[in-house]
Amino acid sequence: MAGYLRDDLSDDEIDRQAALYGPLAASVRELVDAVIRTEADDEEIRTARAEIEAITERLRKQQADGPFGVRFNGEGRGRAWGNAVVGLRNAVAPPLQMQHEPSGRAWADFHLGAAYEGPPGLVHGGVAALILDQVLGEAAGAGGKPGMTGTLTLRYRRGTPLGDLHVEAHIDRVDGIKTYAVGHISDAEGVTVEADGVFILPKWARKAIADNESAAAPSRFE
Amino acid sequence: MAGYLRDDLSDDEIDRQAALYGPLAASVRELVDAVIRTEADDEEIRTARAEIEAITERLRKQQADGPFGVRFNGEGRGRAWGNAVVGLRNAVAPPLQMQHEPSGRAWADFHLGAAYEGPPGLVHGGVAALILDQVLGEAAGAGGKPGMTGTLTLRYRRGTPLGDLHVEAHIDRVDGIKTYAVGHISDAEGVTVEADGVFILPKWARKAIADNESAAAPSRFE
């Protein structure tokens, strides 16, 4: 699959780019929050819009034709910088800073603000699903059993308040190309949403692994 | 629930605010996309960041204490302007322009760009879940049977390409306070993701309806 691009950047160059783009995206996340909450006067709003459009125009003078994709260097270090949950350069992503264990576990502590609201003051039920899909998939990949989501089931125990949250997932069992993962989101009071999912290794990745094209067979389908 | 705020703005004032804030959030969505895709030089990136931070600081001089919530006027016109899927003021939201039918149907045609990526070139599986949660919930509400998500199940038929997409949902059946809704996302080639969900009227809303506090019992739990 063309989108998994091996570009052989050095680790130092990747660190340098992360230090450049990470703070840029973080500044946009703050702007997203401010646009939801601002009570500035109309003139201020119009001025902000014009300035934002001018910045965007300058950034777009040189830009990639399409989405970021997932890029790897020669050491297999992956960058899913456009990913909607963990993407360093994606202001839609909170972004989650994932932790992994090779036993097939993944977890993160994170914060959700005004941009992730559904019912008043609560995390959008679909945002909880978005995050759990990513983390269950990362647990599968961490255990060496990656796949794309086949099915995903969410059970909402109660509303998840906006604020500081925790998410974790682990591999429950593996059956051939299917990896079964389970997980949940919790706040300080306990579990709010539970999830289980089946993650399936796509045909093209099975072929790449069989052909020993390791660079074409990513450890996670972020 | 305090977050469903009745503020009695006139329809004209709501239209005026929509015309002010809608384009502002739209400009931020373009900026989010540009930040993922830009190949501008380092100096340009640093300048953009400084300018964005200055805009945010000005917008934050007067701002709401917390998230937007869901606000209603005297005519029952609701504004879920902070909602993560449909929010007019939320640059995380694509946003979907929902259509409804009182028979209990909801649908939208929409476009997803680089900010909604999971696997390279494909919609993040969790983003598909996010959108389906919203649209199934809107179908339930459109049919007069609103609820908060109780369970949600997604079946991924194939990868959903980034680009122009369609989503639709309808009420399958109603059992007391539980509304069962089904739906799917499709591209030009057909269905990519199917969903079914149970939406449950919360206790506080049941009480508000019993007490005939119509303003406190929203038609949808956006």
Side-chain angles (χ1 to χ4, degrees), chain A residues 89-138:
Chain A
R89 286 178 64 161
N90 188 347
V92 162
L96 264 62
Q97 307 281 347
M98 295 300 310
Q99 308 289 322
H100 304 98
E101 265 182 20
S103 63
R105 301 190 81 89
W107 68 96
D109 294 304
F110 61 107
H111 182 92
L112 295 181
Y116 302 97
E117 190 176 37
L122 299 178
V123 175
H124 194 295
V127 169
L130 166 63
I131 288 168
L132 283 159
D133 176 61
Q134 178 73 26
V135 178
L136 266 64
E138 295 222 13

Coordinates of all heavy atoms in Angstrom, one line a residue, chain A residues 89-138:
Chain A
R89 N 1.0 16.5 14.1 CA 0.7 17.7 13.3 C -0.7 17.9 13.1 O -1.1 18.8 12.3 CB 1.4 17.5 11.9 CG 2.9 17.7 12.0 CD 3.6 17.5 10.6 NE 3.2 18.4 9.6 CZ 3.9 18.7 8.5 NH1 5.0 18.0 8.3 NH2 3.4 19.5 7.6
N90 N -1.6 17.1 13.7 CA -3.0 17.2 13.5 C -3.7 17.8 14.7 O -3.9 17.2 15.7 CB -3.6 15.8 13.2 CG -5.0 15.8 12.7 OD1 -5.7 16.8 12.9 ND2 -5.5 14.7 12.2
A91 N -4.3 19.0 14.5 CA -4.9 19.7 15.6 C -6.3 19.2 15.9 O -6.9 19.5 16.9 CB -5.0 21.2 15.2
V92 N -6.8 18.3 15.1 CA -8.0 17.5 15.4 C -7.7 16.5 16.5 O -8.6 16.2 17.4 CB -8.6 16.8 14.2 CG1 -9.6 15.8 14.6 CG2 -9.3 17.9 13.3
A93 N -6.5 16.0 16.5 CA -6.1 15.0 17.5 C -5.8 15.7 18.8 O -5.2 16.7 18.8 CB -4.8 14.2 17.0
P94 N -6.2 15.0 20.0 CA -5.9 15.7 21.3 C -4.5 16.2 21.6 O -4.4 17.2 22.2 CB -6.4 14.7 22.3 CG -7.4 13.8 21.5 CD -6.9 13.8 20.1
P95 N -3.4 15.6 21.1 CA -3.2 14.2 20.7 C -2.9 13.3 21.8 O -2.3 13.7 22.8 CB -2.0 14.3 19.8 CG -1.2 15.4 20.4 CD -2.1 16.3 21.1
L96 N -3.2 12.0 21.7 CA -2.8 11.1 22.8 C -1.3 10.7 22.7 O -0.8 10.5 21.6 CB -3.6 9.8 22.7 CG -4.9 9.7 23.6 CD1 -5.9 10.8 23.2 CD2 -5.5 8.3 23.5
Q97 N -0.7 10.7 23.9 CA 0.7 10.2 24.0 C 0.7 8.8 24.4 O 0.5 8.5 25.6 CB 1.5 11.1 25.0 CG 1.4 12.6 24.8 CD 2.3 13.1 23.7 OE1 3.2 12.3 23.2 NE2 2.1 14.3 23.2
M98 N 0.8 7.9 23.5 CA 0.5 6.5 23.8 C 1.7 5.8 24.5 O 2.9 6.1 24.2 CB 0.2 5.7 22.5 CG -1.1 6.1 21.8 SD -2.6 5.9 22.9 CE -2.3 4.2 23.4
Q99 N 1.4 4.9 25.4 CA 2.4 4.0 26.0 C 2.1 2.6 25.5 O 0.9 2.3 25.4 CB 2.3 4.1 27.5 CG 2.4 5.5 28.1 CD 3.7 6.1 28.0 OE1 4.8 5.4 28.1 NE2 3.8 7.4 27.6
H100 N 3.1 1.8 25.4 CA 2.9 0.4 24.9 C 3.7 -0.6 25.7 O 4.7 -0.3 26.2 CB 3.3 0.3 23.4 CG 2.7 1.2 22.5 ND1 3.3 2.4 22.1 CD2 1.5 1.2 21.9 CE1 2.5 3.1 21.3 NE2 1.4 2.4 21.1
E101 N 3.2 -1.8 25.7 CA 3.9 -3.0 26.3 C 3.9 -4.1 25.2 O 2.8 -4.4 24.7 CB 3.3 -3.5 27.6 CG 3.9 -2.9 28.8 CD 3.2 -3.5 30.0 OE1 2.6 -4.6 30.0 OE2 3.3 -2.8 31.1
P102 N 5.0 -4.8 25.0 CA 5.0 -5.9 24.0 C 4.1 -7.0 24.3 O 3.8 -7.9 23.5 CB 6.5 -6.3 23.9 CG 7.1 -5.7 25.2 CD 6.3 -4.5 25.6
S103 N 3.6 -7.1 25.6 CA 2.6 -8.1 25.9 C 1.3 -7.9 25.2 O 0.4 -8.7 25.2 CB 2.4 -8.2 27.4 OG 1.9 -6.9 27.9
G104 N 1.2 -6.7 24.6 CA -0.1 -6.4 23.9 C -1.0 -5.4 24.7 O -2.2 -5.6 24.8
R105 N -0.4 -4.4 25.3 CA -1.1 -3.4 26.1 C -0.8 -2.0 25.5 O 0.3 -1.8 25.1 CB -0.7 -3.5 27.6 CG -0.9 -4.8 28.2 CD -0.7 -4.7 29.8 NE -1.9 -4.1 30.4 CZ -2.9 -4.9 30.8 NH1 -2.9 -6.2 30.7 NH2 -4.0 -4.4 31.4
A106 N -1.7 -1.1 25.6 CA -1.5 0.3 25.3 C -2.4 1.1 26.2 O -3.5 0.7 26.6 CB -1.9 0.5 23.8
W107 N -1.8 2.3 26.6 CA -2.6 3.2 27.5 C -2.1 4.6 27.3 O -1.0 4.8 26.8 CB -2.5 2.7 28.9 CG -1.2 2.9 29.5 CD1 -0.7 3.9 30.3 CD2 -0.1 2.0 29.5 NE1 0.6 3.7 30.7 CE2 1.0 2.5 30.2 CE3 0.1 0.7 28.8 CZ2 2.2 1.9 30.3 CZ3 1.4 0.1 28.9 CH2 2.4 0.7 29.7
A108 N -2.9 5.5 27.8 CA -2.6 6.9 27.8 C -3.4 7.7 28.8 O -4.6 7.3 29.1 CB -2.9 7.5 26.4
D109 N -2.8 8.7 29.4 CA -3.5 9.7 30.2 C -3.7 10.9 29.3 O -2.7 11.3 28.6 CB -2.8 10.1 31.4 CG -2.7 8.9 32.4 OD1 -3.8 8.3 32.7 OD2 -1.6 8.5 32.7
F110 N -4.8 11.5 29.2 CA -5.1 12.6 28.3 C -6.1 13.6 28.8 O -6.8 13.3 29.8 CB -5.5 12.0 26.9 CG -6.7 11.2 26.9 CD1 -7.9 11.8 26.3 CD2 -6.8 10.0 27.5 CE1 -9.1 11.1 26.3 CE2 -8.0 9.3 27.5 CZ -9.1 9.8 26.9
H111 N -6.2 14.7 28.1 CA -7.2 15.7 28.5 C -8.0 16.1 27.3 O -7.5 16.3 26.2 CB -6.4 16.9 29.0 CG -7.3 18.1 29.5 ND1 -7.7 18.2 30.8 CD2 -7.9 19.1 28.8 CE1 -8.5 19.2 30.9 NE2 -8.6 19.8 29.7
L112 N -9.4 16.2 27.5 CA -10.3 16.6 26.5 C -11.0 17.9 26.9 O -11.6 17.9 28.0 CB -11.3 15.5 26.1 CG -10.8 14.2 25.6 CD1 -11.9 13.3 25.3 CD2 -9.9 14.4 24.3
G113 N -10.9 18.9 26.0 CA -11.5 20.2 26.3 C -12.7 20.4 25.5 O -13.4 19.4 25.0
A114 N -13.1 21.7 25.3 CA -14.4 22.1 24.7 C -14.6 21.5 23.3 O -15.7 21.3 22.8 CB -14.5 23.6 24.6
A115 N -13.5 21.2 22.5 CA -13.6 20.7 21.2 C -14.1 19.3 21.0 O -14.4 18.8 19.9 CB -12.3 20.9 20.4
Y116 N -14.2 18.6 22.2 CA -14.6 17.2 22.1 C -16.0 17.0 22.8 O -16.3 15.8 23.1 CB -13.5 16.3 22.8 CG -12.2 16.6 22.0 CD1 -11.2 17.5 22.5 CD2 -11.9 15.9 20.8 CE1 -10.1 17.7 21.8 CE2 -10.8 16.2 20.1 CZ -9.9 17.1 20.6 OH -8.7 17.3 19.9
E117 N -16.8 18.0 22.8 CA -18.0 18.0 23.5 C -19.1 17.3 22.7 O -19.2 17.5 21.5 CB -18.5 19.4 23.9 CG -19.7 19.5 24.9 CD -20.0 20.9 25.3 OE1 -19.8 21.8 24.4 OE2 -20.4 21.1 26.4
G118 N -20.0 16.6 23.4 CA -21.3 16.1 22.8 C -22.4 16.7 23.6 O -22.7 17.9 23.5
P119 N -23.0 15.9 24.5 CA -23.9 16.5 25.5 C -23.2 17.6 26.3 O -22.0 17.4 26.5 CB -24.4 15.3 26.3 CG -24.1 14.1 25.5 CD -22.9 14.5 24.7
P120 N -23.9 18.5 26.8 CA -23.2 19.6 27.6 C -22.3 19.1 28.7 O -22.7 18.4 29.5 CB -24.4 20.4 28.2 CG -25.5 20.2 27.3 CD -25.3 18.8 26.8
G121 N -21.0 19.6 28.6 CA -20.0 19.2 29.6 C -19.5 17.8 29.5 O -18.6 17.5 30.2
L122 N -20.0 17.0 28.6 CA -19.6 15.6 28.4 C -18.9 15.4 27.1 O -19.1 16.1 26.1 CB -20.8 14.7 28.5 CG -21.6 14.8 29.8 CD1 -22.9 13.8 29.7 CD2 -20.8 14.4 31.0
V123 N -18.0 14.4 27.2 CA -17.3 13.9 26.0 C -18.3 13.4 25.0 O -19.2 12.6 25.4 CB -16.2 12.9 26.3 CG1 -15.6 12.3 25.0 CG2 -15.2 13.4 27.2
H124 N -18.2 13.8 23.7 CA -19.1 13.2 22.7 C -18.9 11.7 22.7 O -17.8 11.2 22.7 CB -18.7 13.8 21.3 CG -19.7 13.5 20.2 ND1 -20.0 12.3 19.8 CD2 -20.4 14.4 19.5 CE1 -20.9 12.4 18.8 NE2 -21.2 13.7 18.6
G125 N -20.0 10.9 22.7 CA -19.9 9.5 22.7 C -19.1 9.0 21.5 O -18.3 8.0 21.7
G126 N -19.1 9.6 20.4 CA -18.3 9.2 19.2 C -16.9 9.5 19.4 O -16.0 8.8 18.9
V127 N -16.5 10.5 20.2 CA -15.1 10.8 20.5 C -14.5 9.7 21.3 O -13.4 9.3 21.1 CB -14.9 12.2 21.1 CG1 -13.5 12.4 21.7 CG2 -15.3 13.3 20.1
A128 N -15.3 9.2 22.3 CA -14.9 8.1 23.1 C -14.6 6.9 22.2 O -13.6 6.2 22.4 CB -16.0 7.7 24.2
A129 N -15.5 6.7 21.2 CA -15.3 5.6 20.3 C -14.1 5.8 19.4 O -13.3 4.8 19.2 CB -16.6 5.5 19.3
L130 N -13.8 7.0 19.0 CA -12.7 7.3 18.2 C -11.4 7.0 19.0 O -10.5 6.3 18.4 CB -12.7 8.8 17.9 CG -11.4 9.5 17.4 CD1 -11.0 8.9 16.0 CD2 -11.6 11.0 17.2
I131 N -11.3 7.4 20.2 CA -10.1 7.1 21.0 C -10.0 5.6 21.3 O -8.9 5.1 21.2 CB -10.2 8.0 22.3 CG1 -10.0 9.4 21.9 CG2 -9.2 7.5 23.4 CD1 -10.3 10.4 23.0
L132 N -11.1 5.0 21.6 CA -11.0 3.5 21.9 C -10.5 2.7 20.7 O -9.8 1.8 20.8 CB -12.3 3.0 22.5 CG -12.4 3.4 24.0 CD1 -13.9 3.4 24.5 CD2 -11.5 2.5 24.9
D133 N -11.0 3.1 19.5 CA -10.6 2.4 18.3 C -9.1 2.5 18.1 O -8.4 1.5 17.9 CB -11.3 3.0 17.1 CG -10.8 2.4 15.8 OD1 -11.0 1.2 15.6 OD2 -10.2 3.2 14.9
Q134 N -8.5 3.7 18.3 CA -7.1 3.9 18.2 C -6.3 3.0 19.2 O -5.4 2.3 18.9 CB -6.7 5.3 18.4 CG -5.2 5.6 18.3 CD -4.7 5.5 16.9 OE1 -5.4 5.7 16.0 NE2 -3.4 5.2 16.8
V135 N -6.8 3.1 20.5 CA -6.0 2.4 21.6 C -6.1 0.9 21.5 O -5.2 0.2 21.7 CB -6.4 3.0 22.9 CG1 -5.7 2.3 24.1 CG2 -6.2 4.5 22.9
L136 N -7.3 0.4 21.2 CA -7.4 -1.1 21.0 C -6.5 -1.5 19.8 O -5.8 -2.5 19.9 CB -8.9 -1.5 20.7 CG -9.7 -1.9 21.9 CD1 -9.9 -0.8 22.9 CD2 -11.1 -2.5 21.5
G137 N -6.5 -0.7 18.7 CA -5.6 -1.1 17.6 C -4.2 -1.0 18.0 O -3.4 -1.8 17.5
E138 N -3.8 -0.1 18.8 CA -2.4 0.0 19.3 C -2.0 -1.1 20.2 O -0.9 -1.6 20.2 CB -2.2 1.4 20.0 CG -2.3 2.6 19.0 CD -1.3 3.6 19.1 OE1 -0.3 3.4 19.8 OE2 -1.5 4.7 18.5

